[in-house]
Amino acid sequence: MTERHAYLTTAEVADYLRLKERKVYDLVSQGQIPCSRVTGKLLFPRQQIDLWVLSHLEGDQAQRLTVPLVVAGSQDPLLEWAVRESGSDLAMLCQGSGDGVRRLLDGKAMLAGIHLLDPSTQRYNEPSALGLSGMRDLLIVRWATRRQGLLVPTDNPLKIKALNDLKRPHLRVAHRQPDAGAARLLGFLLQQAGIDSSALNWAPHASLSEDDLALSICQGEADVGLGVEAAAHRQQLGFVPLCEEPFDLIMQRRSYFEPAVQQLVAFAQQARFAERSIQLGGYTIAETGKIVHNA
């Protein structure tokens, strides 16, 4: 057995875990150990086996409090659809990336979707920048890469083509709450473009979700705002692409093996999920399900 093998056979995983093969089959039948069945043969992903072992550390037992089946953080159209269609029993409570981080730390959410840029490093979802460096069982799973840009009315009547157009004096700019990932990204993009944010004509109230921002433009309350391409398509708005960003799910390691989360992760590997990502627009799902951080 060598480290380069990404998948283990039943005999190999039994040897790896110092168990009898019969016990491995029992764990499979009880749905307790991660595995896949290919042409009748059981295969065990090495990375997920390692996570499964770590999630059962004895020292963690005292910390195993009940966590609500809630997805917090940033609203994402593809995640929202997958949670509903997968039958995972997860509930959505999306009020921005910063809120999601707080709810995860407070034990009020099982996982959170985030896209928080650290302007100093230009990296996304860094645990130290999120105040999560002390969370010793933090797991970050890539959900998708999303296209961010300017949402504008259908047919773009004001001919908005770039970020510099936001400086027009009478252009009303929709915006998100300060700790939302989109607010942080917009601030960074404005700074890079040398645009003074205080000089912009901001909408009077913050939009608390992707849909709220899109609706504010659709209903004529604002002329432009930063958001994901999928939100523009959902409201039949125009879209001016600016950049791409990773959107990740953060959770405690043991939560990854909860049936609700496993059902969502498994659903994201189905053909329906890929088809929906294309229909919504602005997604790249090549890394969906990839573990990008394991504390």
Side-chain angles (χ1 to χ4, degrees), residues 209-283:
S209 70
E210 291 279 352
D211 277 346
D212 286 346
L213 187 140
L215 281 170
S216 72
I217 297 167
C218 189
Q219 295 172 354
E221 298 169 359
D223 300 306
V224 62
L226 183 76
V228 294
E229 184 173 350
H233 290 176
R234 190 145 69 169
Q235 298 299 330
Q236 298 182 323
L237 296 171
F239 182 76
V240 180
L242 293 178
C243 62
E244 293 191 342
E245 62 170 14
F247 185 88
D248 296 330
L249 302 179
I250 60 173
M251 66 196 81
Q252 292 177 297
R253 190 185 297 116
R254 62 181 176 268
S255 294
Y256 182 78
F257 295 99
E258 290 294 326
V261 177
Q262 282 290 296
Q263 194 157 339
L264 177 64
V265 170
F267 180 78
Q269 302 304 315
Q270 294 181 13
R272 281 187 65 206
F273 179 82
E275 292 165 1
R276 186 66 172 184
S277 72
I278 295 171
Q279 292 167 359
L280 287 170
Y283 288 101

Side-chain angles (χ1 to χ4, degrees), residues 7-281:
Y7 292 89
L8 306 176
T9 65
T10 304
E12 287 172 337
V13 82
D15 181 60
Y16 190 53
L17 298 175
R18 304 295 190 267
L19 297 173
K20 295 183 181 297
E21 284 190 49
R22 182 69 262 167
K23 180 60 177 177
V24 173
Y25 284 118
D26 288 343
L27 291 170
V28 169
S29 66
Q30 295 164 16
Q32 293 189 28
I33 190 170
C35 70
S36 60
R37 192 181 297 273
V38 181
T39 63
K41 181 179 180 180
L42 291 173
L43 291 176
F44 301 81
R46 181 188 294 275
Q47 187 183 49
Q48 291 198 24
I49 292 297
D50 289 338
L51 290 174
W52 181 74
V53 171
L54 288 171
S55 74
H56 288 77
L57 291 175
E58 288 295 328
D60 287 343
Q61 295 298 323
Q63 301 176 28
R64 289 181 183 274
L65 303 175
T66 301
V67 180
L69 296 174
V70 169
V71 181
S74 178
Q75 182 193 20
D76 176 72
L78 183 59
L79 176 61
E80 189 177 71
W81 175 83
V83 164
R84 183 174 63 251
E85 292 295 315
S86 65
S88 64
D89 290 332
L90 290 162
M92 303 288 290
L93 182 59
C94 296
Q95 298 179 357
S97 294
D99 181 76
V101 171
R102 288 191 294 273
R103 288 183 185 275
L104 183 74
L105 285 170
D106 292 342
K108 295 179 179 179
M110 182 164 285
L111 61 157
I114 64 169
H115 60 119
L116 287 167
L117 174 68
D118 180 0
S120 64
T121 63
Q122 298 186 30
R123 294 171 63 89
Y124 275 87
N125 306 333
E126 289 288 302
S128 58
L130 301 176
L132 295 173
S133 55
M135 190 172 171
R136 64 187 180 90
D137 61 345
L138 175 67
L139 196 68
I140 304 181
V141 179
R142 178 63 38 82
W143 179 251
T145 299
R146 313 187 305 178
R147 192 174 298 125
Q148 285 271 14
L150 300 176
L151 277 61
V152 297
T154 307
D155 299 327
N156 196 3
L158 297 177
K159 308 302 180 187
I160 296 169
K161 297 180 180 179
L163 208 61
N164 273 326
D165 290 326
L166 271 58
K167 294 188 293 185
R168 297 181 197 171
H170 301 297
L171 202 66
R172 298 164 299 169
V173 183
H175 58 100
R176 298 289 308 281
Q177 63 270 41
D179 64 350
R184 187 179 294 190
L185 174 60
L186 180 57
F188 173 74
L189 292 175
L190 290 173
Q191 184 180 38
Q192 278 207 318
I195 299 173
D196 183 359
S197 62
S198 65
L200 300 187
N201 181 25
W202 298 105
H205 304 292
S207 300
L208 299 181
S209 70
E210 291 279 352
D211 277 346
D212 286 346
L213 187 140
L215 281 170
S216 72
I217 297 167
C218 189
Q219 295 172 354
E221 298 169 359
D223 300 306
V224 62
L226 183 76
V228 294
E229 184 173 350
H233 290 176
R234 190 145 69 169
Q235 298 299 330
Q236 298 182 323
L237 296 171
F239 182 76
V240 180
L242 293 178
C243 62
E244 293 191 342
E245 62 170 14
F247 185 88
D248 296 330
L249 302 179
I250 60 173
M251 66 196 81
Q252 292 177 297
R253 190 185 297 116
R254 62 181 176 268
S255 294
Y256 182 78
F257 295 99
E258 290 294 326
V261 177
Q262 282 290 296
Q263 194 157 339
L264 177 64
V265 170
F267 180 78
Q269 302 304 315
Q270 294 181 13
R272 281 187 65 206
F273 179 82
E275 292 165 1
R276 186 66 172 184
S277 72
I278 295 171
Q279 292 167 359
L280 287 170

